[in-house]
Amino acid sequence: MAKKLMKGNEAIAEAAVCVGAINYFAYPITPQSEVAEYLARRLPEVGGVFIQAESEVAVGNMLFGAACSGKRVFTTSSSPGISLMQEAISYMAGAHLPVVIVNIMRGGPGLGGILPAQSDYFQAVKGGGHGDYRLIVLAPSSVQEAVDLTILAFQLADKYRAPVMMIGDGMIGQMMESVEFPAKYQDPPLPPKDWALGGARGRKPQVIKSLFLDPIALEKNNILLAEKYKVIRENEVRYELYKVNNKNRLLLFAYGMMARICQTAIDELETEGISVGLFRPISLFPFPEKEVYREVLKDNIERLLTVEMSMGQMVEDIERCSKGKKPLGFYGRTGGIVPMTEEVKGAVKKELGLVK
Amino acid sequence: MPGILINKTYCKGCELCVRACPMQIIAMSKELNEKGYFCAILQEPTKCIGCRICAITCPDAAIEVHTHGTQFALFKY
Amino acid sequence: MAKDELTILGRPESLSDNITHYCPGCTHGIIHRLVAESIDELGVRERTVGVAPVGCAVLIYNYLNVDFMESPHGRAPALATGFKRLRPDMIVFTYQGDGDLASIGMSEIIHAANRGEKFTVVFVNNAIYGMTGGQMAPTTMPHQKTTTSPMGRDVSLSGYPIRVAELLSSLRTPAYIARTAVHTPIHVIDAKQKIKRAFAYQIQGKCFSLVEVLSTCPTNWGIAPDAATRWVTDNMMPYYPLGTFKTPEEEIA
């Protein structure tokens, strides 16, 4: 298909339609209301269901009910809205329901602001709802990658019968870039959905639930989930290295839009004779733990620096995975302020002791 | 001649059928079921008119109503 | 059973063989049977999907032989909306208590009704929280003692009981909304007709349908089952009038 210039929010919406995810429930919230506005026009064209719910609490629960049909369902929202869905997300994880949730993050906490941020990392990656569950979390750094990861999210949701979250900061949703959609989309082989509800015709009634009053049964469900996450950890880690080589003195860690700004900083630092590489996690869960450790161990790496649009959340995972092998610094801006290239360069030089 | 069957495993001895029976022929037995409830029993089977009221009011569907030949449905249910 | 023995009333096919966990005399059991009888008589067991609430009826999926999904507390109307919209060919119903529907789930029920979602709600009003041990509910009567209104519900602090049927009937979107009860046989017969009619409206794809059913809670009211039925008559009936409040046929200004 030809390239199109599209706003991130609308590209995400169209990507979903491409994979037959034509059942969408949402509530307006800046900076991603355009997804709903786009789908309000688009879904009727493809015989889909579009409901603007009365709240994100209702959205999360409509998703639960709709997912019980076995059809592809999804929603998009932003930070405060995602907070309201946490209970439903925990239920969907516990009930093994495939669903895709997109969080176009804005500044927090509380009402915060409407400008881009990455301060929902903990909520997404460490589990924002109750109970032992994890979400597969994917983080695009461009509109095209947002399209690709949306498609991947639906595949992973069905492959593992689990909720999958894609998190992008406000810029991913708001900016326009050229994107390409798959001309003729074909699902990879995915497990059958015999668990879906559709009436006890010719079979015993089925129940989709997360309640297990018997502790043995509840533990069994938790172990089942843990085994699922183990397989996910072994098979679904995704990351990207940028200009990582044995001349790097410092290794940058950043994801989403922040990573693109770091790439520009790296290119400019290179012209100043300072070699810096970037490690960009794409799957925030499963986190690329072994790969981070492998890169950190390299002799040429003197220092590590994590850059985020938050007060520092992924940095804790970098610290965990680097096991103190190298000194780790952090640079972040919040409030919706997006660090400029100069700031990243300054932070790198400071970390390397080149400037005070 | 109509009659009822009270299923001991379902009966919880709540006594709602005792009051509801228009012929007042259901009572509580001294016999405990496996759950430890005193079950209801039909004391005078010959007086049962097969009206179904006991079965309608039983919260545990423990009562089955039977009859032979024609049975006047005193009300639509 | 004699040769030409005829069972004129027995356990409906849609009612499972399990013994329910409900307390002796709790009329949840009657309402379950009425739903099962309606599903059987309308012949829709094999295309019915229920949405279980959180509350005493959370285990309803063990008692009805239909597919079920289990909702977070109060959210059943949202689950039902999501499923019914994607499977309009299915008969979808929620079964909810008063804490579930009228307290935490009030937003969901009002908006589902207002959107005119084509599923059926069986709303059990027993004026108390049962599962959690007898706390005050939005439908608790004035001066009614509960574990969280030990001196009796003080309307100056917690307001008056909410009449859900009337509340939802004020919405302009067409719907079938009725209130009934199951504390005496004659009321059970009325309840059966209304629940069956609600399901029938759904089968015709006509409108949103909700039946509020006054019910007893002997354990948490602290009243024996038989006396509890009289408590409904003396205390709940005057405040919660039975009747049909809204039907899709009437033309509304």
Side-chain angles (χ1 to χ4, degrees), chain C residues 99-223:
Chain C
D100 189 271
L101 180 137
S103 194
I104 188 170
M106 183 63 94
S107 171
E108 276 74 18
I109 191 65
I110 287 180
H111 285 282
N114 198 55
R115 286 191 303 268
E117 302 292 347
K118 309 265 186 310
F119 59 79
T120 301
V121 177
V122 178
F123 166 45
V124 179
N125 172 359
N126 60 4
I128 204 157
Y129 278 80
M131 154 82 79
T132 43
Q135 295 78 15
M136 179 175 69
T139 48
T140 293
M141 300 309 293
H143 317 303
Q144 181 182 346
K145 285 191 168 66
T146 72
T147 56
T148 50
S149 59
M151 289 80 77
R153 176 174 187 165
D154 179 346
V155 294
S156 69
L157 290 175
S158 49
Y160 284 81
I162 296 175
R163 295 186 178 109
V164 170
E166 289 84 343
L167 183 77
L168 294 178
S169 302
S170 70
L171 297 171
R172 171 66 183 75
T173 310
Y176 170 69
I177 294 171
R179 179 183 292 122
T180 181
V182 283
H183 59 294
T184 72
I186 193 75
H187 288 108
V188 172
I189 293 160
D190 178 61
K192 165 107 185 249
Q193 283 155 6
K194 285 174 175 159
I195 289 172
K196 193 171 172 185
R197 186 172 172 195
F199 275 93
Y201 275 126
Q202 178 175 171
I203 292 169
Q204 298 156 25
K206 200 122 169 85
C207 63
F208 171 81
S209 50
L210 176 141
V211 179
E212 177 176 350
V213 187
L214 301 186
S215 186
T216 63
C217 183
T219 299
N220 288 305
W221 291 357
I223 309 171

Side-chain angles (χ1 to χ4, degrees), chain B residues 1 3 5 7 9-10 12-16 19-20 34-35 37 50-53 55-69 71 75-77, chain C residues 1-2 4-11 15-27 29-30 33-34 37 41 184-185 188-189 192-193 225-226 229-230:
Chain B
M1 197 230 338
L5 265 176
N7 184 320
T9 48
Y10 289 118
K12 293 177 183 166
C14 75
E15 304 183 24
L16 286 180
R19 164 174 290 280
E34 64 200 29
K35 290 266 188 179
Y37 293 118
C51 67
R52 302 168 292 169
I53 286 179
I56 282 169
T57 202
C58 172
D60 291 281
I63 302 175
E64 240 176 49
V65 185
H66 303 282
T67 185
H68 300 282
Q71 167 62 41
F75 53 86
K76 193 172 159 308
Y77 175 70
Chain C
M1 286 247 282
D4 59 356
E5 190 84 1
L6 180 68
T7 304
I8 48 173
L9 192 65
R11 287 184 78 90
L15 199 64
S16 84
D17 297 334
N18 296 330
I19 300 168
T20 70
H21 71 288
Y22 299 117
C23 309
C26 166
T27 48
I30 297 176
R33 198 191 74 243
L34 297 182
E37 283 170 352
E41 287 160 28
T184 72
V188 172
I189 293 160
K192 165 107 185 249
Q193 283 155 6
D226 184 40
T229 62
R230 284 194 296 286

Side-chain angles (χ1 to χ4, degrees), chain A residues 82 86 89 101 103 105 118-129 133-138 165-167 255 284-285 313:
Chain A
I82 300 291
Q86 291 303 321
I89 290 171
I101 297 140
N103 179 4
M105 295 180 281
Q118 297 183 318
S119 40
D120 301 352
Y121 178 93
F122 282 155
Q123 179 187 58
V125 174
K126 306 298 178 184
Y133 76 93
R134 305 302 292 268
L135 291 182
I136 295 173
V137 183
L138 307 172
M165 183 174 280
M166 184 171 81
I167 65 174
Y255 69 94
L284 302 181
F285 183 86
Q313 296 188 19

Side-chain angles (χ1 to χ4, degrees), chain A residues 54 71 198-199 203 206 208, chain C residues 67-68 70 72 86 90 115:
Chain A
E54 59 270 24
K71 296 186 178 187
R203 64 162 169 74
Q206 285 177 180
I208 292 179
Chain C
D67 275 2
F68 259 96
E70 183 187 72
L86 267 59
M90 288 282 124
R115 286 191 303 268

Side-chain angles (χ1 to χ4, degrees), chain B:
Chain B
M1 197 230 338
I4 62 170
L5 265 176
I6 298 176
N7 184 320
K8 288 207 171 19
T9 48
Y10 289 118
C11 175
K12 293 177 183 166
C14 75
E15 304 183 24
L16 286 180
C17 55
V18 173
R19 164 174 290 280
C21 173
M23 306 301 289
Q24 290 295 291
I25 52 173
I26 301 175
M28 302 312 293
S29 77
K30 294 285 174 292
E31 187 199 334
L32 290 173
N33 72 4
E34 64 200 29
K35 290 266 188 179
Y37 293 118
F38 289 109
C39 302
I41 54 162
L42 176 59
Q43 274 190 320
E44 298 166 62
T46 59
K47 288 191 176 166
C48 175
I49 58 172
C51 67
R52 302 168 292 169
I53 286 179
C54 57
I56 282 169
T57 202
C58 172
D60 291 281
I63 302 175
E64 240 176 49
V65 185
H66 303 282
T67 185
H68 300 282
T70 58
Q71 167 62 41
F72 295 105
L74 305 168
F75 53 86
K76 193 172 159 308
Y77 175 70

